[in-house]
């Protein structure tokens, strides 16, 4: 039934032309047939006496009619889309478009409330240098509470101005002047097909141009192609052609292609047609481009070679980091491990003259020299004369911290205590702070290190000194000798050597409990010593004499080391150099 | 005797005419590319646009006859090639005359160059038509009387618009359907 309705809508397009009568008749016949077929169908079923001949004729007729019906329905749908398109594209009223070589359809829109019947409107058109004519208006309902008024001309003149005036009850409502050949709105191209060109990343689109005489060369097409599923697409324009090769596409991808047409605007012009229904096609699957493969291989090879070169040039550094060498003292003790298997005594015995052959060893800074270590530490509190805990003496050889000396001082000062070693330096410092050193004669004495003095005097009448220069530290020796000292003395005691040395004499600061350090002779040279167990840090030497303070002359080369070989503490880790 | 001398004179005359006979134009290659026409149409449009901006010194002294530009396809298709060619050629001739008279009266220099261009283009169109073997028509003696295919315009802008419409319409139809190009 709905088909019949559509037919009735289309049939309302009336024109005041010579063919009008024909059109009316055709439409009337169609309408009658529409209702008749239903009746006939029923009739056929009922009347069994119907001959075959008549049945065949009826069948053919029905088929033809159905075909016409479908085309009419399609036409109605196309009209709807065109109307919608023009309502957006054309601002002027009435909106007119030409579909073929000799037709023109004009329409305008009005609100349902203000709309009148079709009879109230009159459509007057005038070609240049001609008399006016009138076109009959038809009305159709539209969506959104609107009404559309149509007028269709079936015989037109092109390339000449056309004046259109629309009246409603003698009142001019629309006025427009146009060229019919400039308002073409064509149907979209038909039969859009996609084929593969045989080349990767390409597709060929072909279509059937609208069948309009004289206008084939003036047609312009727009092909839009997007990847299936994507919204971003590309557009290509082509003129007066019926195929186009799309290039630069991705391999193995599905593409959606559609097309629309428009006249180029030189002789003829118009609006873009609607898009065709999209057509999908997949491009050829991609092969690995041999050039890209070979280039990437070469680049990777070059990079590998470069990395290998870098690794090889830095292999020693890398090996050190990954597989560090365990240090051995073999280089210092030649032959100790290889020849004597680590037996130090043997090695010593066999290499007594070796030292002479080692000038580097001879002239190194780390020379053994007997020294008297003086400490600035206050002698106020009574110092126990107990022996140093063995721990402290061992610690001297083992510890390698800078606080070691302070710790030793505290051990001597406070004697043996059951305090842990960690508190000794703090306690010592506290003690020192409480009893600030009175030796302000030189800046050197402001620190709390032990002080070593060297006195170029010949001592006489001193107690004989045992051979104390063993492998042990001079400090240890001092500690040992300090055991015999009095209470008022620190355990350090004094260490005086006169025999065998001759030139050197040293005094400990602990001999003077009242901090009266008498400057002797030309003056004492002070040097702060910090023992770290491996090496000794020496602060610059300065003289106790006030006169010498300003001079700043330190006689570093005056003292020669003449320690006899057997007394020299060979192998001690701590040496004093002058 | 007189007969003999007249015959000799006649022969001499013929010989002389043979020498002085104007050379036949060499056959032109057919110009089927419609971009040529597109170029002419665009220049005509430029002239029309320039005329719209002209306020002084750009008027026609008197009304001129111009061809009709309207094309009814049903009627056009009924005409044969010769009729179509004749219609186009006579129209071009009329336009040539009309624009020539406009050129004489226009004083605006910018417009003058446009009008000169239009005249040159009409001449070139004639050459294009000749290349397509479309015959030139000879206007009837005493000018064109008018007829169905002409009308009169009195303003320069109207004249140039007619010029554009004629090129776009009848001339384009004739060129696009020239049998030598298909």
């Amino acid at each position: 039934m709905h088909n019949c309705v559509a037919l009735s809508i289309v049939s309302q397009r009336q024109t005041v032309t010579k063919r009008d009568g024909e059109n009316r008749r055709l439409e009337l016949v169609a309408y009658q047939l529409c209702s008749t077929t239903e009746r006939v169908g029923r009739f056929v079923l009922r009347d069994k006496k119907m001959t075959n001949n008549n049945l065949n004729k009826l069948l053919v007729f029905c088929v033809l009619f159905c075909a016409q019906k479908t085309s009419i329905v399609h036409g109605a749908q196309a009209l709807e889309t065109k109307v919608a398109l023009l309502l957006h594209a054309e601002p002027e009223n009435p909106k007119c478009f030409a579909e073929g070589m000799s037709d023109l359809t004009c329409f305008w829109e009005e609100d349902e409330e203000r709309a009148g019947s079709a009879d109230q409107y009159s459509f007057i058109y005038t070609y240049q240098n001609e008399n006016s004519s009138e076109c009959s208006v038809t009305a159709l309902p539209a969506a959104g509470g609107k009404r559309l008024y149509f007028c269709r001309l079936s015989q037109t003149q092109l390339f000449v101005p056309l004046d259109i005036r629309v009246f409603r009850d003698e009142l001019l409502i629309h006025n427009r002047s146009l060229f019919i050949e400039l308002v073409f709105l064509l149907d979209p191209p038909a039969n859009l097909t996609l084929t593969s060109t045989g080349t990767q990343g390409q597709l060929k689109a072909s279509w059937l141009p609208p069948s309009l005489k004289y206008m084939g060369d003036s047609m312009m097409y727009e092909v839009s192609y997007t990847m299936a599923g994507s919204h971003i697409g590309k557009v290509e324009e082509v003129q007066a052609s019926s195929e186009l090769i799309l290039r630069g596409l991705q391999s193995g991808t599905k593409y959606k292609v559609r097309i629309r047409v428009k006249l180029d605007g030189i002789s003829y012009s118009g609006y873009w047609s609607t898009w065709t229904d999209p057509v999908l096609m997949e491009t050829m699957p991609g092969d690995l481009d041999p050039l890209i493969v070979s280039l990437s291989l070469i680049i990777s090879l070059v990079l590998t070679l470069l990395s290998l070169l870098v690794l090889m040039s830095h292999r020693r550094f890398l090996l050190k980091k990954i597989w560090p060498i365990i240090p051995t003292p073999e280089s210092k003790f030649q032959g100790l491990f290889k020849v004597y298997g680590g037996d130090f005594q043997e090695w010593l015995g066999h290499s007594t003259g070796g030292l002479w052959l080692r000038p580097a060893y001879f002239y190194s800074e780390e020379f053994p020299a007997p020294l008297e270590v003086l400490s600035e530490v206050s002698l106020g509190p009574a110092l126990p004369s107990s022996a140093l805990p063995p721990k402290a003496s061992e610690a001297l050889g083992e510890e390698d911290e800078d606080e070691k000396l302070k710790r030793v001082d505290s051990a001597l000062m406070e004697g043996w205590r059951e305090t842990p070693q960690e508190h000794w330096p703090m306690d010592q410092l506290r003690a020192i702070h409480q009893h600030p050193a009175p030796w302000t004669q030189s800046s050197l004495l402001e620190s709390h290190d032990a002080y070593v003095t060297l006195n170029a005097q010949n001592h006489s009448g001193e107690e004989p000194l045992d051979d104390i220069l063993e492998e042990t530290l001079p400090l240890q020796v001092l500690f040992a000798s300090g055991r015999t000292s009095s209470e008022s003395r620190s355990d350090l005691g004094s260490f005086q050597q006169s025999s065998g040395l001759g030139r050197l004499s040293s005094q400990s600061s602990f001999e003077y409990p009242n901090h009266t350090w008498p400057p002797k002779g030309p003056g004492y040279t002070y040097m702060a010593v910090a023992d770290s167990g491996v090496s000794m840090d020496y602060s610059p030497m300065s003289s106790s004499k006030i006169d010498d303070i300003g001079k700043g002359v330190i006689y570093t080369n005056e003292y020669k080391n003449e320690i006899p070989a057997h007394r020299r503490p060979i192998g001690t880790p701590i040496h004093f150099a002058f | 005797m007189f007969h003999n001398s007249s015959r000799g004179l006649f022969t001499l005359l013929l010989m002389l005419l043979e020498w002085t006979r104007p050379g036949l134009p060499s056959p032109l290659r057919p110009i089927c590319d419609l971009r040529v026409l597109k170029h002419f149409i665009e220049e005509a449009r430029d002239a029309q646009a320039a005329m719209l901006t002209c306020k002084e010194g750009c008027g026609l002294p008197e009304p001129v006859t111009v061809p009709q530009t309207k094309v009814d396809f049903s009627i056009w298709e009924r005409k044969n090639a010769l009729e179509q060619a004749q219609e186009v050629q006579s129209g071009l001739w009329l336009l040539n005359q009309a624009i020539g008279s406009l050129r004489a009266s226009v004083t605006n220099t910018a417009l003058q160059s446009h009008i000169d261009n239009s005249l040159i283009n009409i001449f070139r169109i004639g050459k294009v038509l000749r290349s397509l073997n479309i015959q030139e028509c000879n206007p009837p003696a005493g000018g064109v009387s008018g007829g169905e295919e002409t009308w009169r315009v009195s303003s320069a802008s109207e004249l140039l618009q007619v010029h554009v419409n004629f090129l776009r319409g009848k001339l384009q139809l004739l060129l696009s359907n020239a049998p030598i190009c298909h």
Side-chain angles (χ1 to χ4, degrees):
Chain A
M1 277 307 288
H2 62 280
N3 285 338
C4 290
V5 171
L7 187 59
S8 67
I9 289 169
V10 172
S11 70
Q12 281 179 32
R13 288 202 263 168
Q14 296 170 18
T15 55
V16 184
T17 58
K18 290 176 194 172
R19 296 181 192 161
D20 184 47
E22 292 171 21
N23 287 343
R24 277 181 174 269
R25 263 182 268 131
L26 185 67
E27 283 153 6
L28 204 63
V29 163
Y31 188 78
Q32 282 173 346
L33 282 168
C34 185
S35 48
T36 313
T37 42
E38 291 177 18
R39 277 184 265 136
V40 166
R42 280 182 247 138
F43 177 71
V44 166
L45 288 168
R46 275 188 234 150
D47 195 353
K48 296 171 188 176
K49 287 179 186 174
M50 206 113 182
T51 59
N52 280 343
N53 224 4
N54 285 345
L55 202 62
N56 286 340
K57 280 185 198 170
L58 194 64
L59 216 62
V60 166
F61 190 76
C62 282
V63 164
L64 284 170
F65 177 66
C66 286
Q68 195 184 30
K69 246 198 320 181
T70 45
S71 68
I72 287 165
V73 166
H74 279 146
Q77 282 175 347
L79 178 70
E80 271 179 53
T81 48
K82 285 184 179 175
V83 163
L85 199 146
L86 270 180
L87 281 170
H88 280 108
E90 179 61 65
E92 285 191 55
N93 271 316
K95 301 171 202 311
C96 298
F97 63 93
E99 288 169 299
M101 304 278 289
S102 53
D103 62 84
L104 181 72
T105 309
C106 289
F107 67 93
W108 65 96
E109 205 181 30
E110 291 234 5
D111 290 329
E112 194 70 57
E113 303 94 43
R114 292 187 289 143
S117 69
D119 305 330
Q120 290 176 286
Y121 296 91
S122 51
F123 187 96
I124 311 290
Y125 63 97
T126 318
Y127 288 106
Q128 196 177 44
N129 306 325
E130 282 189 19
N131 296 330
S132 306
S133 308
E134 191 172 345
C135 168
S136 57
V137 177
T138 53
L140 278 177
K146 306 261 185 187
R147 235 169 169 216
L148 289 170
Y149 296 94
F150 281 91
C151 173
R152 189 176 162 88
L153 303 177
S154 57
Q155 202 172 12
T156 54
Q157 291 179 23
L158 273 59
F159 308 106
V160 70
L162 175 68
D163 271 326
I164 295 169
R165 280 169 291 154
V166 179
F167 294 91
R168 181 182 173 175
D169 296 326
E170 314 301 325
L171 191 70
L172 182 70
I173 55 168
H174 297 303
N175 191 5
R176 191 180 170 185
S177 178
L178 56 87
F179 284 90
I180 295 173
E181 75 279 2
L182 300 181
V183 289
F184 272 102
L185 179 54
L186 305 170
D187 290 327
N191 291 357
L192 175 65
T193 48
L194 293 173
T195 50
S196 178
T197 58
T199 318
Q200 275 199 33
Q202 282 187 11
L203 276 178
K204 184 163 122 178
S206 58
W207 57 88
L208 201 65
S211 56
L212 284 170
K213 252 172 132 179
Y214 312 119
M215 294 186 203
D217 291 336
S218 309
M219 289 200 192
M220 195 163 66
Y221 303 93
E222 205 175 59
V223 178
S224 152
Y225 56 101
T226 62
M227 278 195 282
S230 165
H231 291 291
I232 303 161
K234 285 186 191 170
V235 157
E236 275 205 42
E237 270 193 23
V238 65
Q239 189 109 5
S241 173
S242 61
E243 60 183 35
L244 176 71
I245 294 175
L246 303 167
R247 291 170 215 271
L249 307 176
Q250 281 187 25
S251 310
T253 324
K254 226 171 191 176
Y255 276 90
K256 194 169 69 174
V257 179
R258 48 184 196 159
I259 187 172
R260 62 179 182 176
V261 67
K262 184 183 158 179
L263 288 161
D264 65 359
I266 309 299
S267 286
Y268 306 98
S269 185
Y271 310 94
W272 278 111
S273 71
T274 53
W275 289 102
T276 55
D277 290 329
V279 175
L280 290 160
M281 175 96 181
E282 195 167 339
T283 50
M284 278 172 63
D287 289 336
L288 274 176
D289 194 2
L291 180 68
I292 290 171
V293 168
S294 55
L295 274 173
S296 54
L297 271 173
I298 289 166
I299 287 167
S300 56
L301 200 69
V302 165
L303 283 171
T304 320
L305 279 169
L306 274 171
S307 56
L308 271 170
L309 269 168
V310 166
L311 275 170
M312 292 309 289
S313 60
H314 290 94
R315 65 176 183 277
R316 284 208 192 103
F317 172 75
L318 285 167
L319 269 171
K320 244 198 246 177
K321 287 285 171 190
I322 297 164
W323 199 260
I325 303 164
I326 303 163
T328 58
E330 250 183 275
S331 55
K332 299 287 183 189
F333 309 100
Q334 292 177 8
L336 171 60
F337 295 100
K338 287 179 189 165
V339 181
Y340 299 99
D343 190 350
F344 197 63
Q345 297 278 3
E346 290 265 349
W347 181 78
L348 269 177
H350 280 91
S351 62
T352 46
L355 260 178
W356 297 107
L357 303 171
R358 281 177 270 168
Y361 189 82
F362 200 73
Y363 291 116
S364 70
E365 282 182 29
E366 302 167 350
F367 262 164
L371 293 171
E372 184 180 331
V373 179
L374 305 169
S375 175
E376 195 195 333
V377 175
S378 151
L379 299 170
L383 302 170
S385 59
S386 56
L388 248 189
K391 270 191 193 174
S393 57
E394 284 169 12
L396 284 171
E398 288 163 16
E399 278 182 337
D400 56 355
E401 296 155 11
D402 291 336
E403 299 291 321
K404 187 174 166 183
L405 197 61
K406 290 182 188 168
R407 208 169 285 152
V408 166
D409 289 342
S410 66
L412 294 167
M413 289 283 294
E414 296 164 7
W416 173 241
R417 276 195 205 170
E418 290 302 326
T419 56
Q421 283 190 6
E422 292 81 21
H423 294 307
W424 286 353
M426 291 312 298
D427 295 335
Q428 171 63 12
L429 280 168
R430 263 182 240 130
I432 288 164
H433 281 299
Q434 283 162 11
H435 306 279
W439 294 348
T440 54
Q441 291 170 13
S442 75
S443 59
L444 192 69
L445 303 178
E446 287 171 4
S447 66
H448 299 298
D449 297 328
Y451 293 96
V452 173
T453 65
L454 295 168
N455 201 351
Q457 279 180 5
N458 282 332
H459 291 272
S460 58
E462 303 287 348
E463 37 182 81
L465 198 64
D466 297 328
D467 186 16
I468 55 170
L469 288 176
E470 301 293 339
E471 301 138 35
T472 56
L473 300 163
L475 285 172
Q476 274 184 317
V477 167
L478 289 167
F479 300 150
S481 67
R483 284 180 208 143
T484 55
S485 62
S486 61
E487 278 191 21
S488 63
R489 276 194 210 166
S490 68
D491 283 346
L492 272 174
S494 71
F495 169 51
Q496 290 171 353
Q497 274 194 24
S498 57
S499 59
L501 299 176
R503 292 202 190 179
L504 292 173
S505 80
S506 56
Q507 274 186 324
S508 165
S509 59
F510 291 103
E511 286 181 51
Y512 305 93
N514 294 326
H515 307 287
T516 52
W517 183 255
K520 290 184 186 176
Y524 279 94
T525 308
Y526 304 104
M527 188 168 70
V529 175
D531 179 13
S532 67
V534 176
S535 64
M536 302 270 282
D537 289 328
Y538 308 102
S539 64
M541 294 196 288
S542 65
S543 175
S544 64
K545 238 188 174 178
I546 294 167
D547 299 338
D548 291 339
I549 288 168
K551 286 183 197 172
V553 176
I554 310 291
Y555 298 98
T556 54
N557 297 323
E558 271 185 41
Y559 305 100
K560 285 186 190 170
N561 196 356
E562 288 186 4
I563 302 162
H566 69 280
R567 282 189 185 170
R568 204 176 299 120
I570 296 161
T572 51
I574 295 166
H575 308 282
F576 298 88
F578 291 95
Chain B
M1 194 172 77
F2 183 73
H3 209 61
N4 277 342
S5 61
S6 67
R7 232 187 279 167
L9 205 64
F10 185 67
T11 315
L12 189 64
L13 202 65
L14 273 174
M15 281 164 66
L16 280 169
L17 280 170
E18 191 67 29
W19 287 336
T20 58
R21 182 179 67 174
L24 280 169
S26 53
L28 298 165
R29 269 188 304 133
I31 300 166
C32 291
D33 193 348
L34 284 175
R35 285 178 292 180
V36 170
L37 177 63
K38 182 179 161 183
H39 175 73
F40 296 147
I41 290 167
E42 280 173 356
E43 289 201 337
R45 273 197 178 133
D46 293 340
Q48 188 193 0
M51 179 58 79
L52 288 171
T53 60
C54 170
K55 284 162 189 144
E56 276 186 13
C58 42
L60 270 174
E62 55 180 23
V64 287
T65 310
V66 290
Q68 290 274 15
T69 59
K70 64 178 181 181
V71 172
D72 190 332
F73 277 109
S74 53
I75 299 167
W76 177 266
E77 280 167 350
R78 271 188 242 133
K79 292 180 185 172
N80 60 23
L82 191 64
E83 284 173 326
Q84 288 174 355
Q86 210 157 22
E87 200 172 318
V88 171
Q89 294 277 30
S90 63
L92 280 171
W93 187 87
L94 281 169
L95 280 171
N96 202 17
Q97 299 297 108
I99 292 171
S101 66
L102 178 65
R103 172 71 179 83
S105 63
V106 156
T107 52
N108 191 328
T109 45
L111 202 58
Q112 270 177 0
S113 63
H114 279 289
I115 290 168
D116 285 337
N117 226 15
S118 301
L119 287 171
I120 291 164
N121 283 343
I122 290 171
F123 175 70
R124 285 173 182 158
I125 289 165
K127 284 187 89 174
V128 168
L129 288 173
R130 229 177 296 133
S131 76
L132 300 174
N133 285 339
I134 293 163
Q135 289 140 338
E136 271 180 70
C137 79
N138 295 317
V144 182
S145 58
E148 294 170 6
E149 302 298 327
T150 61
W151 60 300
R152 290 179 78 77
V153 292
S154 50
S155 76
S157 57
E158 255 186 316
L159 166 62
L160 290 180
Q161 191 179 52
V162 164
H163 177 221
V164 169
N165 292 338
F166 190 82
L167 295 183
R168 283 193 309 123
K170 289 183 179 175
L171 180 63
Q172 182 262 332
L173 281 168
L174 190 70
L175 290 177
S176 61
N177 291 304
I180 202 165
C181 291
H182 297 296

